[in-house]
Amino acid sequence: MKNLRLKIILILTQLLMVIFGSYAQNKNITYAADTVTMFANPERGWYDSYSPPCCDKIGESCSAVPIEMNPPHDLIVLSDLQAIRNTPEKMTLYRDIVKISQYFGPIPQSRLNDIQADLNTARKAGVKVVFRIIYNYSITTGEPCASIISGHLDQLKPILQNNADIIFCYQAGLFGGSGEACCQSFLLGENNNGWPSLGTEAMTLYKKLFEMIPADRMMGLRYPGYIYQMNGWSNSSTQAITAFPSGAAPLTEATAYNGSMQSRLGYKQENFAGDMYGYGFFNAWEQKDIDFVTADTKFTLMEGELSAGTDYNKNNGAALMKRDHYTAFHYSTFGGDYEGGIETIPTWKANGQYDTIGIRLGYRFRLIDASIPQSLSSDAKFTMSMTMKNDGWARIVNPRNVEIILKHKTNGIKYTIKIDGDGKGNRLWLPGEGETKILNISINLPANIALGNYDLFLNLPDPYTTLHDNPLYSIRLGNTGIWDEITGYNSLLSSINITDPSGNVAETNRLNVKIYPNPANDALTISGELLDNMQYEISSVKGKI
């Protein structure tokens, strides 16, 4: 072969140009799974509690002056909340038992200020709150009359609405011992088939609380029977349930996350696994309630608190796993700092069950593979697919952004492509419990995107602007080698070159590539910044290949 003086021009993704004519196809990437590491993720997992001093001594009627007004808990310390993220459980939630001591008259502004201060502290610490309002902290009678509670809710409304970003869910407390709405309340009706019922005043207060809660948040109720009552499925004007309501229908994909009352009512199971039926949680009609809750919690909140230690929960850890208590009822969170946790958790740790629960509570997404283009004209659609599995026991509870991030390799400029997969906060688009799902994306690139080479990331941040850019509130995937704790991004382990559809090449598009020798006789060496699936063409100065 005679000597040729090569014209070395580095041009990306242009057909039959001098070098690097075109990329061949999408790049297929396989991701390494991590199913055993406990790491922090928002809105799921074990939670700690901040509770008032126990226990109150309260008068015997709603008109009686309390014998003793125990104070609420002290102001929460920032370092304490930051510390729970570094526990072995990597907690990102805590439950705030918000005690209102006023049985007559309005809540003082100083108390309202303290409640807001604690929520501000949570925001600084990078955690969220399971929020419960109570009047007494013991299993005894004690709450004000309904009119007093209603006035207090009016005062608390701005706090509940202005802090939706930092509140994971609202527990429907207010009345009954410790706000559990289970017993010893002036406002609960008579027991029916093992459950207390919501009296007329209690129903009114719960509906008022529900209407105060921001539309993208859920409220947890103590019993399935309360769900039936709140949805109007009871068969009595007094709201007492005397038989399993024939009209009760659990949520489905078609009815989930549509903003209705049913779609935003969930469950807070106190006394989990005290016995086979959760100390009365499934006590009324047993299998019918179990079937209902199993189906309903596929699409709504299920969170709980461990029962006090019993032979059943301490000695049947493995049996609980086999009976799929956690999977069937789609638990997102557990409170384990109560007496039950202290008594039960050591046994579960000894059985090797505890870490499995901590890892699988709520969602745990991981990538399996992806198909991603290596080059794209700036006026073309960005089209890719990825296979994702949810190794957790539940869907995400609250809306969540899904974003593809393009970060320019040279100048660091970032562009965000936001994905709205279902119009319901991506809660149906992202995989449900145990589901493996192919997620297809086809969307225009940002207008006026700079040409050049970009690294690609998947970002699952909080939708609220106050938290969106805080990596502590972004979802980490269950894969090795892709998480960036500084940005909260998950690397897709791929890059893409954005080209000018007119054929012009920006200086920033040029790769650092060496081709030698030049002139050449019978061999060329190409080295430097090369991309996968790239075709190469070498021509003489006369244009001959």
Side-chain angles (χ1 to χ4, degrees):
M1 177 180 181
K2 66 179 181 179
N3 290 348
L4 296 174
R5 181 170 299 279
L6 298 179
K7 181 180 181 183
I8 309 302
I9 304 176
L10 306 183
I11 300 178
L12 303 178
T13 65
Q14 298 177 40
L15 294 176
L16 301 179
M17 296 297 287
V18 179
I19 295 180
F20 307 151
S22 64
Y23 295 81
Q25 58 186 357
N26 283 13
K27 180 180 180 181
N28 298 317
I29 308 106
T30 300
Y31 301 93
D34 178 358
T35 59
V36 298
T37 301
M38 189 89 70
F39 50 77
N41 252 334
E43 302 189 332
R44 59 155 304 280
W46 292 102
Y47 66 74
D48 206 346
S49 289
Y50 281 81
S51 305
C54 188
C55 292
D56 290 356
K57 298 177 182 178
I58 301 299
E60 295 182 355
S61 74
C62 66
S63 61
V65 177
I67 297 171
E68 180 179 349
M69 303 289 272
N70 282 353
H73 61 67
D74 294 335
L75 283 174
I76 296 173
V77 178
L78 177 60
S79 59
D80 290 344
L81 285 186
Q82 291 171 328
I84 70 173
R85 292 187 61 93
N86 296 318
T87 59
E89 294 81 3
K90 305 299 183 184
M91 289 184 279
T92 62
L93 293 168
Y94 78 93
R95 183 174 63 178
D96 196 349
I97 305 294
V98 179
K99 185 181 177 187
I100 307 300
S101 296
Q102 281 65 43
Y103 280 63
F104 304 97
I107 304 170
Q109 186 60 47
S110 59
R111 179 70 182 115
L112 298 173
N113 292 343
D114 286 348
I115 296 170
Q116 181 61 62
D118 284 341
L119 293 169
N120 293 342
T121 300
R123 193 176 285 106
K124 292 176 183 177
V127 299
K128 289 201 175 190
V129 183
V130 177
F131 196 88
R132 182 194 288 189
I133 303 166
I134 71 167
Y135 285 90
N136 94 59
Y137 193 58
S138 63
I139 304 299
T140 60
T141 301
E143 66 262 343
C145 295
S147 59
I148 298 294
I149 297 176
S150 180
H152 291 169
L153 290 178
D154 290 334
Q155 290 184 271
L156 290 164
K157 181 177 180 178
I159 292 177
L160 300 186
Q161 294 190 335
N162 295 337
N163 293 279
D165 62 335
I166 210 67
I167 296 178
F168 167 60
C169 67
Y170 299 79
Q171 293 186 339
L174 298 182
F175 41 83
S178 299
E180 291 189 15
C182 68
C183 48
Q184 301 301 321
S185 170
F186 311 122
L187 301 173
L188 294 176
E190 64 184 34
N191 282 3
N192 293 277
N193 294 3
W195 278 333
S197 63
L198 296 174
T200 302
E201 290 179 316
M203 282 283 292
T204 299
L205 288 170
Y206 269 5
K207 287 183 176 180
K208 180 170 185 172
L209 176 61
F210 176 83
E211 291 168 359
M212 289 166 45
I213 293 172
D216 60 356
R217 289 296 181 264
M218 296 189 181
M219 185 170 87
L221 296 172
R222 177 68 174 84
Y223 297 109
Y226 291 175
I227 297 281
Y228 306 153
Q229 288 183 263
M230 290 285 285
N231 283 305
W233 297 328
S234 62
N235 57 0
S236 167
S237 60
T238 61
Q239 299 297 320
I241 303 174
T242 57
F244 185 86
S246 59
L251 291 164
T252 65
E253 282 199 18
T255 57
Y257 313 120
N258 63 8
S260 67
M261 176 176 286
Q262 182 183 0
S263 71
R264 293 174 51 215
L265 291 178
Y267 303 81
K268 63 176 184 72
Q269 186 184 5
E270 317 277 355
N271 298 319
F272 171 82
D275 61 17
M276 184 173 291
Y277 296 108
Y279 272 2
F281 187 77
F282 293 118
N283 200 39
W285 298 284
E286 298 180 355
Q287 193 57 51
K288 288 184 178 180
D289 300 312
I290 290 172
D291 293 343
F292 182 92
V293 174
T294 297
D296 205 40
T297 53
K298 285 184 178 181
F299 306 105
T300 192
L301 170 72
M302 178 58 133
E303 52 107 2
E305 176 183 89
L306 296 183
S307 164
T310 65
D311 289 341
Y312 180 78
N313 58 31
K314 286 193 288 187
N315 299 326
N316 288 278
L320 289 172
M321 295 293 285
K322 289 179 181 178
R323 292 186 75 244
D324 290 333
H325 268 61
Y326 315 99
T327 308
F329 305 136
H330 311 102
Y331 280 91
S332 286
T333 69
F334 267 149
D337 62 328
Y338 176 61
E339 176 186 358
I342 296 171
E343 296 177 351
T344 306
I345 286 175
T347 303
W348 288 2
K349 286 183 176 179
N351 292 340
Q353 180 185 9
Y354 183 72
D355 286 347
T356 299
I357 296 170
I359 288 171
R360 298 189 66 187
L361 281 170
Y363 63 86
R364 187 179 173 101
F365 301 127
R366 65 178 167 94
L367 289 175
I368 297 175
D369 55 46
S371 178
I372 302 174
Q374 295 292 279
S375 179
L376 199 63
S377 172
S378 62
D379 62 349
K381 277 188 175 294
F382 177 85
T383 301
M384 64 166 285
S385 65
M386 53 187 172
T387 305
M388 181 181 287
K389 182 171 183 179
N390 183 355
D391 292 312
W393 288 327
R395 294 182 180 273
I396 54 172
V397 172
N398 294 322
R400 178 65 45 171
N401 276 17
V402 177
E403 299 172 355
I404 300 296
I405 306 295
L406 294 84
K407 182 179 178 182
H408 200 288
K409 287 189 174 186
T410 302
N411 57 34
I413 294 176
K414 294 180 184 179
Y415 296 91
T416 299
I417 302 176
K418 185 176 179 180
I419 311 300
D420 183 359
D422 54 23
K424 297 182 177 182
N426 292 306
R427 288 174 285 189
L428 292 175
W429 191 72
L430 292 168
E433 73 291 345
E435 183 182 11
T436 299
K437 192 172 185 180
I438 297 176
L439 304 175
N440 295 306
I441 296 170
S442 181
I443 195 166
N444 292 328
L445 290 170
N448 302 316
I449 186 171
L451 306 182
N453 294 295
Y454 291 82
D455 288 319
L456 295 174
F457 303 88
L458 177 64
N459 189 27
L460 302 171
D462 197 284
Y464 278 89
T465 56
T466 52
L467 307 179
H468 179 276
D469 296 331
N470 188 336
L472 299 180
Y473 293 101
S474 289
I475 290 177
R476 174 178 174 177
L477 299 181
N479 297 94
T480 60
I482 69 171
W483 174 247
D484 185 340
E485 65 179 10
I486 303 300
T487 62
Y489 300 165
N490 298 276
S491 173
L492 291 173
L493 305 181
S494 185
S495 60
I496 188 170
N497 182 55
I498 305 301
T499 64
D500 188 338
S502 69
N504 296 324
V505 182
E507 185 66 29
T508 55
N509 278 16
R510 300 177 184 274
L511 296 177
N512 181 20
V513 177
K514 295 180 179 179
I515 303 178
Y516 56 88
N518 181 28
N521 290 319
D522 57 358
L524 282 172
T525 297
I526 303 175
S527 64
E529 186 180 358
L530 304 177
L531 300 179
D532 294 338
N533 299 318
M534 181 179 284
Q535 295 178 351
Y536 309 94
E537 293 181 0
I538 308 296
S539 68
S540 69
V541 292
K542 294 183 178 180
K544 295 182 179 180
I545 296 177

